[in-house]
Amino acid sequence: MLRPVNADEPLPADPGMVEGRLDNGLRYLVLEHASPGDGVHLNLRVDVGSLDELDSERGMARFAQEYSMGWAQGAPLERLRARGLHAGEDLWGRVRHDQTLFGLALPGAGAGVLADGLGVLRSIAQGGLVDGQSVEGVRRTILTSLRASDDGAARARAQWLADLGGDSLLGTRPPEGTQDSIGSVSPEGLAVFLKRWYGAQNMTLIVVGALDGDETAQLISEMFATLEPSPTPERQRRGISAPGGRRSALGSDPELEQTRVALIRIAPVRDPVRTVGGLRRFVLERAAMEAMEIRLRSAMSAGRITSDRPRVYSTDLFRLMHYTHIGLSVEGGDWAVALEEMCREVARVREHGFTSGEVEEARHRLLAQLESLVQGRDSLPSAELIRWVSYSDAQGHAWVDPARELALSRRFLVEADSALLGRVFRTLAPAGKEVLLVSAPAGEGAPGRDTIMSIGSAALDSPTSPTPEAAGLGRLFDRVPEAGEIVEISAHPSSGVWSAMLSNGVRVHHTRVGYGGERVVLSLTLDLARSGDAQRLALSACAANAWAEPALGGLDSASVRRVMAEARTQLRSWVEQDMLRLEIETTPEHLTTAMELASRMLTDPVIEAPAFDRWTRAQRASAREGARDPRALIDAALDAPSPPAGESDGASSDQTAPVTIDDARAWLRERIRSAPIEAAIAGDVSRTEAFELCERYLGSLTPRAAHTPQPVKRDEPGEVSLELTADTVTPVAAVLVGFRSCDASQVRRAHLLSIASRVLERRLSRVLRDDRGIGVRIRAEMSPGRAGSGQGVFGVRVTTSPEHADEVARIIEDEITRLGERGPSQDEFRSVTRRIERAYLEAITTPA
């Protein structure tokens, strides 16, 4: 028998949190957290968002956020810049439907640095005079951002949000504003809006990092107590009073490629989680949503669902409503089929509940997430932890003692059987109260509201058959494979990394990272030996997709997911510079299972037909989307494969041939049999145990040659100039200016050019935005080529309006030339290198 709990008992507070309120109304939260790299992060939340705008103030919340950033000037900011702070990266602002958030990442710890950081946020909170010239500069910046984000998906989202919210302001108050609303903001109106909402009583300051909580609270009191208090503003109605009963919501656009279907339920906002009973409700609802996502993924693996990317969650949204979302996406597919498939699975769960296997997997998955958050909290960078604190506080939830929260959550999951989670699900998504959402391309075959209702209702209201229980879990290995042996071993004392060569040619590395404990990451890299063949590059992308949802001989992907859930294991895979990458995160206790899984994926992986079909559709849709996106066209031109030395420049006949599932399966079998492999294990595990597991599970793989750099044909010297045209409704241009550069084997040169790219980005931001008044988005970076290729890319990418594209390109060329001739100043060099050092310190103290 489980011991009864008192549902009304308050949840125990985290002893590391200091909370208070100043006499002028400003709240503050300070969490002591000795994060990797001794980082300190600050958030200033103003409780005003786009939902608080009057009809005459549309777009004002976004404008106020951007304008307020301009007040972050003065000696504190300059001192932080000298230590490595960069506005835009370390100092940022963001507006949402219900709040405006300003964030600051400090370049180091210490009382002086913290005081300067608080001084910067105090300047934003205090504000100043509004002048017309500054307003026009902010207007240009926002309009450029709007143009860059105005695409088919954004326009369709605006349509269905308006449907979803009924008579609320949800669909008419986008946080980013619109071109019309931003264009109509006046200095006088902005001043009134700021005076009404940017008062101390409407602000919350959050500080997380390596600091003393009580001392920080005292410093906050000294620095923010002089902010002027003002009456609490009266808010407009935020609640939803949408029509009752089943209804539809629709979004469409001629440029939209992705089809999205969802079943949504809207209800009044819940009480925040502050009691034991509230936590129980929260945990059980998450478990029910997890089980529903497992149901959809299993149906995808079995071929009952042809759609992709299930997204299932339940949350309080914008402090406006409780929002349950069960959705699927399909690239270039049939929205009617996707809607019917999704609704049929929802109806099946409503009628028959979840299987015991789904519930057990949901328990394991949710516990893995909770344990990872709690047990690994000490190793979380402050930047991640403050996002968690900020979200929780904005929702009104208590910040709870993590160990006690985990213990209670485990207790609640013990009672979460099939019957209970079935009841919870039916409460979250009751029959007859759904919003059936379809967001699909406009044109022939586009959805209509009546058709959406007809198809969705038929699937929801028809009798269903129960889902059979899955077979019991099999073993990844029936017998332990025959181990290889280490034939060479070496150490790198300054980093603590040990390396070894196995007898079959696989190279392995290990470093013990005990910061926070309880997490281990296994990383595998397969060299794909770039051939310049476009079809083979597609095959590698297909393999990465298959590895992301792995199936093995004798175990379908649903069974493998159950094994991973039980072993608290998470997996991701991707292609990077012609290398197939696999990363498995687990706990020391389950590292053997993770190694077994990796060994099987390198022995007999299976590409399932349903997964291949989804990937094929996604590739076609991505190609169509890319033809309309200036940034995607540039990336495609830059990444176009160059043939190896000695091969013809002409396209071979199979370069554009479609990839078949037989091609993909044969290619993957060949690559895992012969490709050079490097593996690394980082985390709270000894070198002896790590290398023994590598000998057993990686040493048993087929022998393979060591990695040897493949010669790559280099571009002929000289300038390359391309002008590409995208058929897009949005008036936006993308510019890339740069040069071919070094590869990853030229370590010192790559690092120096990385520093140069950061200096250049900061210079261009100042020249283009501040001096020329041109609205842009800038990213400068050094991307080394794969080792041995002899080439990488040093480039600056800018998104701007078409009329400024040529001018921007000329300015970038001039600044690259000037930096090459004169180099960075001492202040620029010191600022950038300090920031890189902080990022490095954070990186080496966490397993990933």
Side-chain angles (χ1 to χ4, degrees), residues 5 15 48 125 176 208 238 353 391 502 644 662 791 819:
V5 296
V48 59
E176 63 275 12
V208 175
R238 281 185 167 184
Y391 172 80
L502 302 179
D662 290 336
Q791 59 180 266
L819 182 61

Side-chain angles (χ1 to χ4, degrees), residues 526 528-548 573-576 578-581 605 607 612 615-616 619 641 654-672:
L526 273 71
L528 301 181
R530 181 173 182 166
S531 69
D533 186 324
Q535 187 185 36
R536 289 183 179 272
L537 297 180
L539 287 168
S540 64
C542 179
N545 180 75
W547 265 12
S573 68
W574 69 101
V575 174
E576 177 183 313
D578 316 314
M579 296 177 288
L580 185 57
R581 300 287 306 277
I607 299 178
F612 178 82
W615 174 81
T616 302
Q619 292 296 104
D654 68 347
Q655 276 186 304
T656 56
V659 172
T660 69
I661 191 169
D662 290 336
D663 294 333
R665 287 169 172 167
W667 184 87
L668 184 56
R669 282 196 301 270
E670 191 276 330
R671 295 317 303 154
I672 63 171

Side-chain angles (χ1 to χ4, degrees), residues 816-832:
I816 289 177
T817 300
R818 186 174 292 111
L819 182 61
E821 291 173 347
R822 304 175 187 175
S825 69
Q826 286 297 319
D827 286 344
E828 287 175 325
F829 183 81
R830 183 170 57 250
S831 175
V832 167

Side-chain angles (χ1 to χ4, degrees), residues 28-313:
Y28 61 85
L29 302 168
V30 181
L31 181 63
E32 299 178 9
H33 178 63
S35 68
D38 289 332
V40 178
H41 287 75
L42 302 88
N43 277 359
L44 176 68
R45 187 180 76 239
V46 186
D47 286 324
V48 59
S50 58
L51 292 174
D52 298 301
E53 298 165 352
L54 303 175
D55 283 342
S56 60
E57 296 176 329
R58 297 190 184 190
M60 198 69 79
R62 172 73 175 93
F63 214 106
Q65 170 263 307
E66 189 72 38
Y67 195 88
S68 297
M69 294 290 293
W71 284 321
Q73 303 296 332
L77 182 61
E78 293 308 312
R79 286 193 293 268
L80 293 177
R81 279 176 169 159
R83 295 179 63 94
L85 180 138
H86 178 48
E89 295 178 16
D90 301 310
L91 176 62
W92 50 265
R94 185 176 303 122
V95 65
R96 296 170 178 158
H97 283 88
D98 61 336
Q99 62 178 261
T100 301
L101 198 63
F102 300 94
L104 177 59
L106 293 183
V113 177
L114 177 59
D116 283 340
L118 291 171
V120 170
L121 291 185
R122 185 185 184 282
S123 297
I124 292 175
Q126 186 173 18
L129 298 176
V130 177
D131 68 88
Q133 183 177 356
S134 298
V135 165
E136 291 309 312
V138 168
R139 196 189 317 276
R140 286 192 298 269
T141 299
I142 298 176
L143 289 175
T144 298
S145 175
L146 284 172
R147 291 192 191 103
S149 59
D150 181 23
D151 55 17
R155 292 188 289 270
R157 182 173 62 251
Q159 294 171 34
W160 62 256
L161 270 176
D163 277 356
L164 190 65
D167 64 350
S168 82
L169 302 177
L170 185 62
T172 61
R173 298 292 192 273
E176 63 275 12
T178 65
Q179 293 197 39
D180 288 342
S181 66
I182 296 300
S184 65
V185 170
S186 68
E188 297 78 14
L190 178 61
V192 170
F193 187 87
L194 287 166
K195 183 174 179 58
R196 184 163 78 248
W197 291 107
Y198 277 58
Q201 81 296 331
N202 205 38
M203 295 179 176
T204 300
L205 179 64
I206 302 173
V207 184
V208 175
L211 40 76
D212 181 278
D214 293 329
E215 291 179 2
T216 302
Q218 180 61 35
L219 187 58
I220 291 171
S221 178
E222 294 169 0
M223 298 188 66
F224 284 82
T226 57
L227 289 181
E228 289 293 330
S230 58
T232 302
E234 183 178 349
R235 298 187 186 277
Q236 301 183 92
R237 180 184 57 80
R238 281 185 167 184
I240 289 285
S241 57
R246 185 177 294 161
R247 58 192 179 92
S248 64
L250 172 63
S252 64
D253 189 87
E255 286 195 350
L256 191 65
E257 285 292 340
Q258 183 184 101
T259 295
R260 177 182 177 188
V261 300
L263 184 146
I264 293 167
R265 188 256 181 152
I266 294 173
V269 68
R270 305 290 192 84
D271 291 333
V273 177
R274 307 188 72 84
T275 64
V276 170
L279 180 62
R280 178 181 182 274
R281 182 198 70 213
F282 176 77
V283 169
L284 293 179
E285 287 181 349
R286 281 193 64 183
M289 292 291 97
E290 193 77 42
M292 186 66 223
E293 182 168 327
I294 290 166
R295 166 64 59 90
L296 293 177
R297 289 194 180 278
S298 298
M300 287 163 48
S301 299
R304 294 200 311 271
I305 287 180
T306 57
S307 306
D308 202 355
R309 283 181 285 177
R311 192 158 180 247
V312 181
Y313 60 95

Side-chain angles (χ1 to χ4, degrees), residues 589-668:
E589 177 187 359
H590 296 103
L591 181 56
T592 298
T593 302
M595 294 295 297
E596 289 179 344
L597 176 60
S599 182
R600 286 292 307 275
M601 291 174 70
L602 292 165
T603 307
D604 59 344
V606 173
I607 299 178
E608 295 178 316
F612 178 82
D613 291 341
R614 291 193 298 271
W615 174 81
T616 302
R617 288 196 303 270
Q619 292 296 104
R620 289 196 295 261
S622 178
R624 290 193 295 270
E625 285 183 328
R628 290 197 295 263
D629 184 348
R631 293 154 295 194
L633 288 178
I634 286 177
D635 288 341
L638 188 66
D639 295 337
S642 301
E647 288 194 9
S648 169
D649 289 338
S652 62
S653 60
D654 68 347
Q655 276 186 304
T656 56
V659 172
T660 69
I661 191 169
D662 290 336
D663 294 333
R665 287 169 172 167
W667 184 87
L668 184 56

Side-chain angles (χ1 to χ4, degrees), residues 467-532:
T467 299
E469 283 286 352
L473 285 180
R475 296 174 56 84
L476 288 172
F477 277 97
D478 292 328
R479 59 182 180 83
V480 176
E482 184 176 347
E485 60 180 7
I486 291 176
V487 296
E488 175 188 317
I489 193 166
S490 60
H492 188 252
S494 61
S495 68
V497 175
W498 285 77
S499 301
M501 182 69 75
L502 302 179
S503 53
N504 60 352
V506 174
R507 188 167 179 81
V508 298
H509 312 275
H510 168 262
T511 183
R512 183 154 197 164
V513 181
Y515 201 104
E518 295 300 319
R519 305 308 296 170
V520 181
V521 173
L522 165 64
S523 176
L524 289 162
T525 302
L526 273 71
D527 180 10
L528 301 181
R530 181 173 182 166
S531 69

Side-chain angles (χ1 to χ4, degrees), residues 701-719:
L701 302 175
T702 55
R704 57 205 65 229
H707 166 75
T708 54
Q710 298 293 314
V712 176
K713 181 179 179 181
R714 305 186 184 204
D715 294 339
E716 294 296 324
E719 182 176 296

